[in-house]
Amino acid sequence: MHNCTLKYFDIADDLARTSCKGDGRRVVILRCSASLFALTTALSLPGPALAQSATSAETVELPAIEVSGERKSERDSLQPRGGSLPQPQTLNRQITQSATVVDRAQIEQTSPTGLLDILATVPGISVARAGGIGGQIYLRGFSSNNFRSPLFVDGQRFRGRNTLQLNYFSPGEIERVEVIRGPASVLYGSEALTGLVNIVTRTPSGDPSGPFRITHGGSSASFGTAAKSVATDNWIEGAGGGFDYLASVSGRWGDDYHTPLGKAPNSDYKSLGGSLKLGYTPTAGQRFELALRHYTEEDGRAGGVGGAPGAPYLKVRQSPNDVTMGRLSYTGEFDGPVKKVEASVYANYYDTTLKTNSNTINADGITTRHVSSGSHVIGPLVFGGRAVGTIPWSFGIGDVKTLIGVDAFKENRPGSKGWSRVTTFDPGTGATTGVTFSGKAKNGPDTTQANAGVFMLNEWTPVEPLTLSAGLRYDWFHTTSELSPLPASVRPAFVGNNTTDGHAPTGSIGAVFRILPNVDLLASVATSFREPTNSEMYAFSATTIPNPSLKPEKGLTYEGGVRFHTDDAELKVTAFDSHYRNFLQTIAVSYNGVSGFTQSQNIGKAEVRGIEAEGTWQATRTINLFASLTYLHGDNKTAGTPLPFLAPWRGRVGAQYAAPDASYSVMAVVDWATRKTRIVPAQEFETAGYAVPKVYTTLNLGNIVSPQLGDTKLILGVENVFDKKYADASTFVNVAYDRSLTNPLIEVGRNFTFKLQHTF
């Protein structure tokens, strides 16, 4: 047994040595990961075997560490997917809202590179990739880049980096991802115009009663061939004496990824993050939790938003791109009128340096102008909180559940600092003809935005087959801007207008009618809104005029759906029709009698309608079939044109086989989309349809190789099996340039993935 234990350490150390030669920090992290993998493997060996190993080595016997605790009851990736779709657990939501959850088992089965890959599996969402891990999503027709589909983390608003927010999370630290489609303003306020995404990070699972002990832990290392990518995730949990904790560290590194047309230049990335969650349970039903997290990453925009048309014309990098997060939360259960209280406060701080290189290239292929620029985006510092109380009650006709809540935030956004160097070249010879420097200087004023909202949601079941829902919310906003530094051309537009106040009410009504034991009908009408951000109100340049009088964008959505469910199957189908007004658009204006300026104004109207469906069927004990489908049709009613970047039809179909003894599982998936021909030629290109097959296998080495390996899994995958060339219809392009590998950005080609994971 001693030799066996040493072998685990040797194999793990060899893996660390051979995975990433040439990258010192990567080797150090992977050595730590490999050592933790070996340690957790050793900890999971039977106690007498460990004692025998120590004796044979003639070492001093140390006090034993108690390793206990029950495993989480959640579905394992080796188990069948089941006949029911997972439901949100962190988000409060109306029963009529359409929601999808990607749980830990699904994430483990596919070894995704980043959050974008997880969200791409959700109906109603399409991905607009910008690099290896960066990009945006389109949720019911609108990009997360334009603030209309916010991101939440553990139920708290994650505001401050709408273009880069999806970069910050390693899949290994995510417990599940919850997506609400459709207006969610009543419970979650501004920006939840088309829905929202909530990332639920791993949480300690041990029982805090009794003596302190280590309850769970694990380590994983993975590799992907398409970008020669390496990832490692390591975590450990403990509980006792009323406390519990979870500590984790995650790292990801990848080179430019392979496409069927070659490598996508400037799509590389590297990231490192760590977190700590510390919980305290003074009495049963009461819990406090402190969560701390820091993440740093560097990556390039190969194309897409902020990166199109890509190399050789444009190269944009975030270097570095940091976020620091802190949250203190409380959950309590009571016997009085208020049965449950959830409250939290948080603070997030961002710091990003953008580096841009742009080239002007003439018809002879000679670079005539090169601009190297940088921008230090300082902050914002965002702090806020949320409190919700649950009150069940009755007045003689059925039962009522009432949610009453309040939330607030304040964003302090300092002005960025920028610098540049412009080099001009002779158009015939390419020789340098001039160089101009612009030193680092503050290029915008400090701005703030504060928000406070109160809301109430009632769900009433007057008779058993029927549940009615009604919600109301009221929001107040206060937005400010400093007057310095401002150029003389726009300063008059700020004076007297640099402080604004706004407010917005929203509401919703809905019903669920159970017409049969296995069939539910759902219907709802909801309003939504999005308050213009401080950046939108006060953004300016030499040719951009601010507009502090902007009004909230507002929406009205009608939804209807049906849910079919049995013990072995579930199918949800939702149809919706959304109408929006006061949309922000940039238009040409004259200022002080001079033309050539632009300004954001509330002149847009739009309509989006569609169908979303998803289902799962546990056909036999070992075989599960699943599928999703989305149809979108959007129109800019003001311009009389289609809304750009919408995929008309897209979906996913798959099957899973899980061995009865949980020794292995195999999953095959096909992601598909139809050709997009209904376009706005001034903004986008047509895109071809595609069908991309993927195959994943999970092997339980504890069952297949040796019980001494415990919960050790080898996860293998082949993505884009036939190396299909395709671009998502939602990927941003620059139509001033020809089509290329990066315009629109081509998706990842054939990719073989390998992941070794041990959990104890």
Side-chain angles (χ1 to χ4, degrees):
M1 184 62 64
H2 171 62
N3 293 334
C4 181
T5 304
L6 289 178
K7 189 178 295 184
Y8 292 140
F9 281 88
D10 293 340
I11 293 173
D13 195 50
D14 288 343
L15 174 64
R17 281 197 297 267
T18 59
S19 294
C20 298
K21 293 181 180 179
D23 189 331
R25 186 173 68 170
R26 193 183 311 189
V27 171
V28 170
I29 296 298
L30 284 175
R31 282 180 179 271
C32 294
S33 175
S35 300
L36 181 55
F37 173 81
L39 175 61
T40 56
T41 302
L43 284 172
S44 65
L45 293 173
L50 284 175
Q52 181 181 352
S53 174
T55 303
S56 62
E58 297 182 355
T59 58
V60 177
E61 184 174 355
L62 297 175
I65 298 176
E66 181 184 357
V67 180
S68 62
E70 297 297 325
R71 291 198 179 278
K72 295 181 180 181
S73 60
E74 66 185 24
R75 178 172 61 85
D76 187 86
S77 59
L78 288 161
Q79 298 172 355
R81 293 170 66 95
S84 60
L85 298 166
Q87 297 298 311
Q89 300 175 27
T90 302
L91 289 175
N92 293 308
R93 69 183 180 102
Q94 297 168 264
I95 58 173
T96 55
Q97 285 179 313
S98 179
T100 293
V101 174
V102 183
D103 63 12
R104 184 68 208 162
Q106 294 172 260
I107 295 173
E108 282 189 356
Q109 279 181 315
T110 57
S111 301
T113 300
L115 183 57
L116 277 175
D117 300 315
I118 299 173
L119 292 171
T121 68
V122 175
I125 285 182
S126 57
V127 168
R129 196 178 300 276
I133 59 174
Q136 293 78 44
I137 61 169
Y138 272 74
L139 177 57
R140 284 200 175 177
F142 297 103
S143 170
S144 56
N145 187 62
N146 58 27
F147 303 99
R148 293 175 180 129
S149 51
L151 184 67
F152 282 66
V153 179
D154 294 324
Q156 296 287 1
R157 188 181 306 202
F158 189 70
R159 178 185 168 117
R161 282 290 183 275
N162 61 306
T163 303
L164 304 172
Q165 60 188 2
L166 302 180
N167 295 36
Y168 290 124
F169 301 92
S170 170
E173 62 181 327
I174 299 174
E175 192 66 40
R176 64 186 182 277
V177 178
E178 303 172 337
V179 179
I180 289 181
R181 293 182 297 273
S185 291
V186 167
L187 291 179
Y188 293 97
S190 177
E191 302 175 15
L193 202 71
T194 63
L196 63 92
V197 174
N198 181 47
I199 299 171
V200 182
T201 58
R202 285 178 177 264
T203 299
S205 59
D207 182 359
S209 63
F212 181 81
R213 66 264 187 215
I214 297 174
T215 57
H216 296 296
S219 181
S220 70
S222 61
F223 177 75
T225 61
K228 297 181 180 178
S229 58
V230 176
T232 176
D233 293 291
N234 312 277
W235 68 97
I236 191 166
E237 303 176 29
F243 291 90
D244 57 63
Y245 76 91
L246 184 149
S248 68
V249 60
S250 301
R252 293 179 291 170
W253 301 266
D255 295 331
D256 293 338
Y257 69 76
H258 157 82
T259 80
L261 298 179
K263 287 187 176 181
N266 197 37
S267 61
D268 61 302
Y269 59 88
K270 57 183 178 181
S271 67
L272 184 64
S275 65
L276 173 66
K277 283 190 177 182
L278 178 63
Y280 175 57
T281 305
T283 60
Q286 311 290 315
R287 175 179 169 80
F288 296 87
E289 182 179 273
L290 174 66
L292 303 173
R293 183 176 182 272
H294 180 74
Y295 186 91
T296 182
E297 64 101 15
E298 175 185 339
D299 75 305
R301 300 184 194 177
V305 172
Y313 302 100
L314 184 64
K315 181 179 180 181
V316 180
R317 297 190 66 82
Q318 290 82 230
S319 178
N321 180 27
D322 296 347
V323 63
T324 302
M325 306 168 62
R327 176 174 57 88
L328 179 62
S329 61
Y330 166 77
T331 302
E333 298 178 357
F334 303 91
D335 294 329
V338 180
K339 295 299 183 184
K340 185 176 182 179
V341 172
E342 300 171 273
S344 57
V345 293
Y346 67 91
N348 300 329
Y349 180 75
Y350 306 81
D351 191 79
T352 304
T353 298
L354 295 174
K355 299 177 181 178
T356 302
N357 288 282
S358 60
N359 295 311
T360 302
I361 303 174
N362 64 19
D364 296 325
I366 297 176
T367 299
T368 60
R369 189 171 186 263
H370 173 79
V371 180
S372 176
S373 59
S375 178
H376 183 194
V377 185
I378 308 167
L381 171 64
V382 184
F383 53 91
R386 179 179 176 88
V388 182
T390 302
I391 307 172
W393 55 285
S394 176
F395 62 96
I397 307 177
D399 297 320
V400 181
K401 184 179 77 171
T402 297
L403 293 180
I404 298 178
V406 58
D407 54 31
F409 75 84
K410 184 175 182 181
E411 176 182 287
N412 296 315
R413 185 179 292 272
S416 301
K417 294 182 178 180
W419 60 96
S420 66
R421 170 178 171 166
V422 180
T423 306
T424 56
F425 305 91
D426 184 277
T429 65
T432 301
T433 58
V435 179
T436 303
F437 293 94
S438 176
K440 182 180 289 189
K442 190 173 182 179
N443 53 22
D446 298 348
T447 64
T448 71
Q449 185 167 70
N451 164 235
V454 293
F455 56 90
M456 174 185 291
L457 175 66
N458 293 286
E459 292 181 350
W460 174 37
T461 305
V463 293
E464 184 58 32
L466 178 65
T467 299
L468 303 175
S469 172
L472 291 172
R473 180 184 178 96
Y474 184 82
D475 277 273
W476 168 83
F477 283 85
H478 181 69
T479 309
T480 70
S481 174
E482 297 292 333
L483 296 177
S484 176
L486 289 171
S489 61
V490 300
R491 185 179 178 87
F494 279 77
V495 176
N497 297 312
N498 62 319
T499 299
T500 63
D501 292 289
H503 60 91
T506 48
S508 67
I509 56 173
V512 176
F513 183 42
R514 303 165 189 88
I515 59 172
L516 294 172
N518 297 326
V519 180
D520 305 333
L521 298 180
L522 300 87
S524 67
V525 179
T527 63
S528 55
F529 80 104
R530 186 181 77 83
E531 180 76 9
T533 66
N534 42 343
S535 297
E536 290 175 309
M537 289 184 180
Y538 295 112
F540 78 93
S541 69
T543 59
T544 303
I545 304 302
N547 189 355
S549 62
L550 289 175
K551 300 176 182 178
E553 299 177 324
K554 295 186 177 181
L556 175 64
T557 297
Y558 305 91
E559 285 194 24
V562 59
R563 173 176 173 258
F564 171 82
H565 52 95
T566 68
D567 291 339
D568 299 322
E570 182 176 357
L571 173 65
K572 298 190 300 184
V573 181
T574 302
F576 68 92
D577 186 12
S578 297
H579 301 260
Y580 302 102
R581 58 188 176 90
N582 285 341
F583 253 48
L584 296 183
Q585 293 186 343
T586 301
I587 65 171
V589 296
S590 296
Y591 182 64
N592 289 336
V594 179
S595 61
F597 293 91
T598 61
Q599 185 181 54
S600 292
Q601 295 187 4
N602 293 107
I603 64 170
K605 292 184 179 180
E607 180 180 357
V608 181
R609 54 188 182 275
I611 299 172
E612 300 157 345
E614 63 177 325
T616 183
W617 176 31
Q618 194 64 44
T620 71
R621 179 186 173 193
T622 58
I623 297 176
N624 182 276
L625 306 177
F626 56 94
S628 64
L629 172 72
T630 303
Y631 168 74
L632 280 178
H633 183 98
D635 292 290
N636 183 327
K637 307 300 285 188
T638 301
T641 62
L643 288 175
F645 306 115
L646 299 190
W649 290 95
R650 65 188 304 128
R652 158 173 279 220
V653 59
Q656 178 209 28
Y657 175 83
D661 63 352
S663 59
Y664 70 94
S665 71
V666 180
M667 184 173 72
V669 178
V670 176
D671 291 323
W672 62 269
T674 60
R675 181 179 181 85
K676 177 177 170 59
T677 59
R678 187 174 184 267
I679 65 170
V680 183
Q683 299 184 57
E684 57 184 330
F685 297 134
E686 291 187 5
T687 55
Y690 59 83
V692 179
K694 307 172 183 180
V695 180
Y696 304 96
T697 300
T698 303
L699 306 175
N700 186 341
L701 301 186
N703 282 9
I704 297 174
V705 179
S706 170
Q708 294 172 346
L709 291 173
D711 185 5
T712 302
K713 297 173 184 174
L714 178 62
I715 304 166
L716 308 173
V718 185
E719 300 172 326
N720 197 351
V721 173
F722 301 114
D723 206 24
K724 170 75 173 178
K725 183 194 80 172
Y726 71 104
D728 196 288
S730 297
T731 301
F732 180 82
V733 301
N734 188 332
V735 296
Y737 295 82
D738 293 334
R739 290 178 181 267
S740 67
L741 187 157
T742 57
N743 191 42
L745 183 62
I746 302 298
E747 292 288 327
V748 181
R750 185 185 296 115
N751 184 32
F752 295 91
T753 63
F754 309 86
K755 182 176 181 179
L756 187 63
Q757 174 178 295
H758 178 74
T759 305
F760 72 90

